[in-house]
Amino acid sequence: MRYRVYDDEDLNAFAYPDGRIYVTRGMMEMTDNAELMAVLNHEATHVVQRHGRAQAKKNIIWRIGTLLLGRAVGASNDTADTVSQVATGIAAGGYSRKDERRADEGSIDLCVAEGIDPYAPSRMMQKLQKKYGDGSAKVPAIGWFATHDNASDRVKRLTERAKSVSNFSSANAASKTGAV
């Protein structure tokens, strides 16, 4: 994987299927080392689990299907193309919520493997929530197309997972040292 800093003040990071991972300057300035590693681990999980490749396949299928449907109902090439672009962007844009949940879990798992505080992803999500809000859609239909769960749900899920792996890690360490 190759990591790069994108010169932007927003708090963001993103991964390309080929392993390039970008993190914004704003994200780097707003996080401590553990939180930054949590973000990078989230993006690395997208790459390793091939979420981007799966998304590209989904986009192609939606694009071809909506183009064919447009032509079948008699739309002009330009109209069919425009409708196809919009429909594909809405229905297939971004990773799925399942992919995002897996990347959240992967971030915690990698943090534990690297000896990083497993609560770092939760703290990072709280910072995003504080800056950008909960992410809940005001219009329910828009929420149906959101690629991420709202921040409150993610904080709760991340905290619960961190707690479970922390308990497991502590119990595991105790059993290896003979402590109980």
Side-chain angles (χ1 to χ4, degrees):
M1 284 181 243
R2 296 173 306 228
Y3 299 89
R4 299 277 188 268
V5 177
Y6 183 69
D7 188 20
D8 190 81
E9 64 189 35
D10 282 339
L11 303 182
N12 203 358
F14 46 94
Y16 287 98
D18 66 0
R20 289 177 291 153
I21 296 175
Y22 289 83
V23 61
T24 61
R25 175 181 39 79
M27 181 71 81
M28 292 186 68
E29 292 170 354
M30 186 80 162
T31 57
D32 63 29
N33 287 339
E35 293 163 349
L36 179 60
M37 286 305 300
V39 169
L40 295 175
N41 287 341
H42 175 98
E43 298 305 328
T45 301
H46 282 308
V47 174
V48 170
Q49 293 186 3
R50 299 178 182 259
H51 295 162
R53 292 180 193 271
Q55 187 56 42
K57 280 171 57 174
K58 189 166 126 181
N59 286 346
I60 291 168
I61 291 167
W62 266 92
R63 185 86 165 103
I64 292 170
T66 54
L67 275 171
L68 292 173
L69 180 63
R71 293 303 296 144
V73 297
S76 70
N77 285 340
D78 288 343
T79 301
D81 184 53
T82 301
V83 170
S84 176
Q85 287 179 32
V86 171
T88 300
I90 290 172
Y95 297 126
S96 71
R97 286 186 186 192
K98 184 190 289 184
D99 289 345
E100 290 300 337
R101 289 181 194 128
R102 288 179 178 157
D104 283 348
E105 291 171 3
S107 176
I108 291 174
D109 294 344
L110 288 169
C111 282
V112 169
E114 296 162 345
I116 296 168
D117 179 8
Y119 289 92
S122 179
R123 287 196 313 273
M124 184 62 240
M125 185 53 54
Q126 289 170 348
K127 285 184 178 183
L128 289 171
Q129 184 180 24
K130 184 176 180 181
K131 181 163 175 88
Y132 296 113
D134 200 37
S136 301
K138 303 282 189 263
V139 179
I142 293 172
W144 298 335
F145 300 109
T147 58
H148 293 77
D149 290 327
N150 70 48
S152 297
D153 290 343
R154 288 180 77 191
V155 167
K156 181 180 177 187
R157 194 169 29 260
L158 287 164
T159 302
E160 288 170 358
R161 180 144 175 100
K163 184 177 180 182
S164 72
V165 298
S166 295
N167 290 340
F168 175 76
S169 297
S170 299
N172 227 6
S175 69
K176 288 180 183 174
T177 61
V180 180

